[in-house]
Amino acid sequence: MRPIYLDNNATTRVDPEVVQAMLPFFADQFGNPSSAHAFGASVGAAVKKARRQLQALIGAAFDDEITFTSGGTESDNTAILSALEAMPNSTEIVTSAVEHPAVLTLCAHLEKTRRVKVHRIPVDRLGRLDLDAYIAALTPHVAIVSIMWANNETGVIFPVAKLAELAKEVGALFHTDAVQAVGKLPMDIKSTAIDMLSFSGHKLHGPKGIGALYVKRGVPFRSLIKGGHQEHGRRAGTENTPGIVGLGKATELAMKFMDDMTTRVKSLRDRLEGGILQRIPDTCVTGDPLERLPNTANISFEHVEGDGIPLLLSRVGIACSSGSACSSGSLEPSHVLSAMKTPHQAVRFSFARDNGEADVDRVFEVMPAILAKLRSAPGRRSADDVQSNSCLSRSRTGCHS
Ligand SMILES: *Cc1c(COP(=O)(O)O)cnc(C)c1O
């Protein structure tokens, strides 16, 4: 049976056009872009073209505001560490409780090793940021705010342009992890007060191990990786030229497919949500009904243990992911869903441009039997355990609040 991939927030299929664009840079286009001779010049020109392609996708004012990195994680780490170093008199960080581990693990480390104070702004049951808590945390002691543009588990979008304006008022730098937002939402970063923005190649049909950090001109910056003068002195090391060219192509394609994402892909997602709520009792869709990525569905199923659904779906060739991470036999609830005080047995389906109606139909076909099997299992949770005010919409029965 044809495998179906509905886990596009974890990674995406590399677009064949991206692969084609990269191939010469593993072969005759092997030059070092820093070299003065012809071997270097053509590769240097390709890197410059990619920088312009990234600039266009996020609406940056200048191409030298884009620095290539090894991915979203490095970009996030660079932004936060740079701000702390550039602003030695400010020792606080404001972030949210639902950030990616690329931000949260670093913040916890800094708290332990550098006596940095970290404010983790909570979210409500729909995954929306607590604005009052955010404003209360903003003081002149804050070096940097790092708040994601859109959440990878729920797709909930935070009002980053407004949050950046508020940060500016106390003199803090504003960074956003936009790994899940770039390529899914139109952006014009130059018209915002956002100082730094991270993104990643493999979440938008580009290669893995390449990403970028946008740093607005005039924003103080300290490099994380020291060495040669590459990337305007912001990120040393000979450039990952095949990756850079691939990411450039991927951003160009993301612009071309933006309409497809916001219309057709969104309607596939909506149809999946509606169809599951209609077919399966005691289910609900999680997250902010108004501000959500077009491709992400996070669905809670009552009376189901752990990650049973993704497991049984994978046996019939459907890839999605669970809201819980299973480590050494014990189920760890997702920090995002815990912050939303939502039941933990959620399933994330995330779509992309290579999905079609047949993928959704196949899920509808197999879900009733999977749910019947899991819900008849002995030792399942009782309905009373489940709090469910996080529902965006729900099946006619269940998810009682
Ligand atoms: C995937 C992801 C990252 C990490 O990006 P990598 O390129 O895999 O390092 C960071 N933040 C978010 C929101 C992500 O979804």
Side-chain angles (χ1 to χ4, degrees), residues 260-277:
D260 182 63
M261 173 58 74
T262 52
T263 56
R264 189 190 63 89
V265 173
K266 179 174 185 295
S267 73
L268 283 179
R269 190 277 309 269
D270 292 346
R271 192 170 149 248
L272 177 92
E273 289 180 347
I276 285 183
L277 296 192

Side-chain angles (χ1 to χ4, degrees), residues 24-148:
F25 295 86
F26 290 108
D28 35 304
Q29 297 285 332
F30 65 85
N32 187 324
S34 299
S35 299
H37 47 62
F39 290 87
S42 63
V43 178
V47 169
K48 192 168 176 60
K49 178 180 171 192
R51 209 182 301 282
R52 294 232 169 102
Q53 286 166 318
L54 270 66
Q55 177 197 355
L57 178 64
I58 64 168
F62 308 100
D63 67 355
D64 63 9
E65 294 175 324
I66 306 287
T67 298
F68 292 108
T69 67
S70 68
T73 302
E74 185 189 322
S75 296
D76 288 346
N77 275 252
T78 303
I80 292 169
L81 293 169
S82 166
L84 289 178
E85 197 177 322
M87 300 169 79
N89 298 322
S90 310
T91 54
E92 298 186 10
I93 300 174
V94 175
T95 186
S96 81
V98 297
E99 296 297 308
H100 189 273
V103 168
L104 286 181
T105 309
L106 173 66
C107 285
H109 176 75
L110 291 170
E111 220 167 21
K112 254 201 279 178
T113 59
R114 290 205 202 166
R115 299 224 202 102
V116 167
K117 182 171 168 148
V118 180
H119 303 264
R120 296 171 182 82
I121 308 302
V123 296
D124 68 10
R125 287 175 180 277
L126 296 179
R128 296 174 301 196
L129 199 75
D130 181 338
L131 257 187
D132 293 335
Y134 177 70
I135 290 166
L138 287 178
T139 68
H141 305 297
V142 178
I144 184 166
V145 175
S146 180
I147 295 202
M148 64 204 327

Side-chain angles (χ1 to χ4, degrees), residues 203-220:
K203 303 287 173 76
L204 55 135
H205 305 277
K208 293 163 186 67
I210 187 76
L213 178 66
Y214 158 87
V215 183
K216 199 189 271 302
R217 266 200 198 171
V219 168

Side-chain angles (χ1 to χ4, degrees), residues 165-388:
E165 299 280 352
L166 292 166
K168 192 113 299 183
E169 286 176 18
V170 296
L173 293 177
F174 190 91
H175 164 255
T176 183
D177 175 341
V179 171
Q180 291 294 342
V182 170
K184 293 175 191 150
L185 304 171
M187 281 180 191
D188 186 45
I189 203 72
K190 64 180 165 301
S191 69
T192 73
I194 294 168
D195 296 306
M196 292 186 273
L197 173 149
S198 301
F199 68 110
S200 173
H202 73 98
K203 303 287 173 76
L204 55 135
H205 305 277
K208 293 163 186 67
I210 187 76
L213 178 66
Y214 158 87
V215 183
K216 199 189 271 302
R217 266 200 198 171
V219 168
F221 183 83
R222 304 289 183 274
S223 64
L224 176 65
I225 298 183
K226 322 286 185 199
H229 57 266
Q230 292 91 353
E231 296 296 293
H232 310 99
R234 299 191 146 172
R235 205 280 188 178
T238 301
E239 298 86 341
N240 171 4
T241 52
I244 289 170
V245 169
L247 175 54
K249 188 61 170 181
T251 58
E252 181 193 313
L253 293 170
M255 289 183 83
K256 188 173 123 189
F257 282 102
M258 188 70 76
D259 280 349
D260 182 63
M261 173 58 74
T262 52
T263 56
R264 189 190 63 89
V265 173
K266 179 174 185 295
S267 73
L268 283 179
R269 190 277 309 269
D270 292 346
R271 192 170 149 248
L272 177 92
E273 289 180 347
I276 285 183
L277 296 192
Q278 191 195 344
R279 285 170 175 81
I280 316 282
D282 301 350
T283 55
C284 67
V285 175
T286 308
D288 185 347
L290 299 175
E291 296 296 332
R292 221 153 49 102
L293 289 177
N295 80 315
T296 308
N298 191 296
I299 304 178
S300 284
F301 295 84
E302 288 185 37
H303 333 303
V304 178
E305 281 292 328
D307 55 0
I309 294 170
L311 217 64
L312 292 188
L313 279 173
S314 86
R315 286 194 195 151
V316 294
I318 299 172
C320 65
S321 73
S322 76
S324 356
C326 188
S327 60
S328 60
S330 71
L331 281 171
E332 273 177 29
S334 134
H335 71 285
V336 176
L337 298 178
S338 297
M340 292 166 68
K341 300 182 173 59
T342 196
H344 295 148
Q345 56 282 38
V347 181
R348 179 186 71 188
F349 298 94
S350 45
F351 291 81
R353 61 183 182 246
D354 36 18
N355 292 120
E357 298 287 349
D359 301 342
V360 177
D361 291 337
R362 180 83 185 120
V363 175
F364 290 161
E365 222 173 278
V366 301
M367 278 304 253
I370 286 176
L371 265 295
K373 179 169 177 174
L374 291 171
R375 284 179 172 171
S376 70
R380 66 170 172 76
R381 228 180 228 254
S382 90
D384 308 329
D385 295 346
V386 181
Q387 285 182 303
S388 44

